[in-house]
């Protein structure tokens, strides 16, 4: 008889992070994904007419089949699945994903957890004194968009969510235009991705602007970026130094409405109460492939300090930006949400928030009705009358993960 398999609660859950370019997969409790495969779903999200649920189902079937059967080599009927849910995820895509998981692969239960919550949850993994952190600020720069949102007690603050269609695609287009001129850009895997990773970076602010932000800092105005030899469309080319440095600057130069990565960050803080702002700037987590560009964090800090000094709207945030503290983890920015899912997948209480197959069969709409505020993630206990530094250690993330160097996976 054919072995169908039954749910095994003791088996590690499968953690999925489905990006528009790459899908990262692995098991809960591990310190890095088992691997990443190309999703190739970016075209469905770029269309002027939104893709239908059936189109997403058709795209997801081969991806999840490769993940479960070829890469992980498991019976999906035996394991729970935790999905790192993008905060701007389309309802049609979420419904299609649930349909494929429950109807095609017969997964026993699925948990959808918002990406910002997972990023904050992972922010203390690998530190010397790990605690369960529940507050912070998440800035995610992915392929199609960038968003900034504060997280308080593990719940993203929706009213302060700010996003813009500004991401690595704009960087790719900038590089492609510099190399290929007016030739249309229609494939992120055409070789531009390799050029970006190997040769390009985000240049810092220079000259008088940099001096006004940090007068005592050295002025790299006279430094020149050397040209390098690389390949494009299987042909050798010489990439000019100016192109290398300016590639990532499109994220900070601002669009037609003067929206940039830095202004998104500040606009999000601007919508928050003072106590929320204080908690958010104390733990800033960067995610996504854009955040992995060399010089991204340094340029972001420069831009934030410049705007609070010279843009009247943001003057009230000057004191908050002075206390800015970026989270340092041993993991690449592209896998930070996945790491949060890996840690959370080992928490026993997660099953109480999961959607079971029985519940889904009775009402498929339950996938859309699940509210972020209903997800009970581990929270931080603070000592009476104490400060943020005097937190009581509850669940040590070090006990859930054996830290090893993270795999450098693409976004």
């Amino acid at each position: 008889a054919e072995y169908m398999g039954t749910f095994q609660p003791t088996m590690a859950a499968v953690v999925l992070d489905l990006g528009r370019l790459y899908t990262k997969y692995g098991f809960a409790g591990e310190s890095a994904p088992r691997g990443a495969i190309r999703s190739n779903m970016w075209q469905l999200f770029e269309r002027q007419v939104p893709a239908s649920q059936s189109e997403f189902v058709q795209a997801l079937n081969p991806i999840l089949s490769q993940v479960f059967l070829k890469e992980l080599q498991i019976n999906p009927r035996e394991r729970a699945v935790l999905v790192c849910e993008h905060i701007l995820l389309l309802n049609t895509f979420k419904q299609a994903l649930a349909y494929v998981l429950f109807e095609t692969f017969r997964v026993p239960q699925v948990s959808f957890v918002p990406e910002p919550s997972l990023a904050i949850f992972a922010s203390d993994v690998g530190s010397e004194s790990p605690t369960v952190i529940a507050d912070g600020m998440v800035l995610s720069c992915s392929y199609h968009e960038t968003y900034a949102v504060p997280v308080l007690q593990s719940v993203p603050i929706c009213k302060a969510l700010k996003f813009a269609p500004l991401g690595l695609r704009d960087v790719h287009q900038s590089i492609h235009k510099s190399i290929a001129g007016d030739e249309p850009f229609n494939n992120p895997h055409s070789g531009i991705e390799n050029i970006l990773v190997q040769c390009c970076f985000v240049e810092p602010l220079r000259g008088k602007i940099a001096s006004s932000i940090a007068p005592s800092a050295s002025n790299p105005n006279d430094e020149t970026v050397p040209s390098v030899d690389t390949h494009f469309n299987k042909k050798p080319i010489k990439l000019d130094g100016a192109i290398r440095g300016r590639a990532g600057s499109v994220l900070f130069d601002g669009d037609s409405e003067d929206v940039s990565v830095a202004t998104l960050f500040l606009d999000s803080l601007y919508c928050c109460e003072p106590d929320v702002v204080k908690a958010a700037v104390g733990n800033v987590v960067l995610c996504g492939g854009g955040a992995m560009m060399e010089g991204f964090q340094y340029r972001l800090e420069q831009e934030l300090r410049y705007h609070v000094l010279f843009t009247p709207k943001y003057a009230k945030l000057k004191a908050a930006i002075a206390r800015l503290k970026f989270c340092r983890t041993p993991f690449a920015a592209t896998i930070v949400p996945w790491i949060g899912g890996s840690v959370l997948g080992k928490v026993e209480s997660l099953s109480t928030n999961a959607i079971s197959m029985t519940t889904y069969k009775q009402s498929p709409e339950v996938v859309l009705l699940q509210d972020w505020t209903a997800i009970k993630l581990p929270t931080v206990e603070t000592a009476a009358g104490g400060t943020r530094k005097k937190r009581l250690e509850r669940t040590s993330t070090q006990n859930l993960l054996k830290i090893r160097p993270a795999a450098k996976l693409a976004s």
Side-chain angles (χ1 to χ4, degrees), residues 83-113:
V83 177
C84 304
E85 181 185 355
H86 193 285
I87 199 168
L88 302 174
L89 191 67
L90 295 175
N91 284 342
T92 50
F93 180 83
K94 188 174 182 179
Q95 287 176 311
L97 178 58
Y99 177 87
V100 173
L101 289 173
F102 284 120
E103 300 291 348
T104 303
F105 295 100
R106 314 294 291 179
V107 170
Q109 65 180 37
V110 179
S111 300
F112 291 92
V113 185

Side-chain angles (χ1 to χ4, degrees), residues 6-119:
T6 56
F7 179 37
Q8 303 292 331
T10 58
M11 287 188 175
V14 176
V15 182
L16 296 176
D17 186 356
L18 292 103
R20 297 181 183 181
L21 288 186
Y22 293 93
T23 292
K24 293 170 276 291
Y25 56 87
F27 296 113
E30 297 186 346
S31 60
R34 288 293 179 96
I37 61 174
R38 289 184 177 181
S39 302
N40 289 329
M41 292 188 292
W42 56 276
Q43 291 177 317
L44 293 177
F45 289 91
E46 288 186 354
R47 289 167 32 176
Q48 293 183 350
V49 178
S52 64
Q53 181 176 337
S54 61
E55 289 176 306
F56 280 127
V57 168
Q58 188 176 2
L60 284 167
N61 266 316
I63 295 173
L64 294 179
S65 179
Q66 182 177 352
V67 168
F68 289 135
L69 306 180
K70 182 178 179 180
E71 305 297 338
L72 296 179
Q73 298 182 358
I74 60 170
N75 184 349
R77 301 185 181 210
E78 297 178 343
R79 297 176 185 262
V81 173
L82 186 148
V83 177
C84 304
E85 181 185 355
H86 193 285
I87 199 168
L88 302 174
L89 191 67
L90 295 175
N91 284 342
T92 50
F93 180 83
K94 188 174 182 179
Q95 287 176 311
L97 178 58
Y99 177 87
V100 173
L101 289 173
F102 284 120
E103 300 291 348
T104 303
F105 295 100
R106 314 294 291 179
V107 170
Q109 65 180 37
V110 179
S111 300
F112 291 92
V113 185
E115 182 181 85
S117 299
L118 294 177

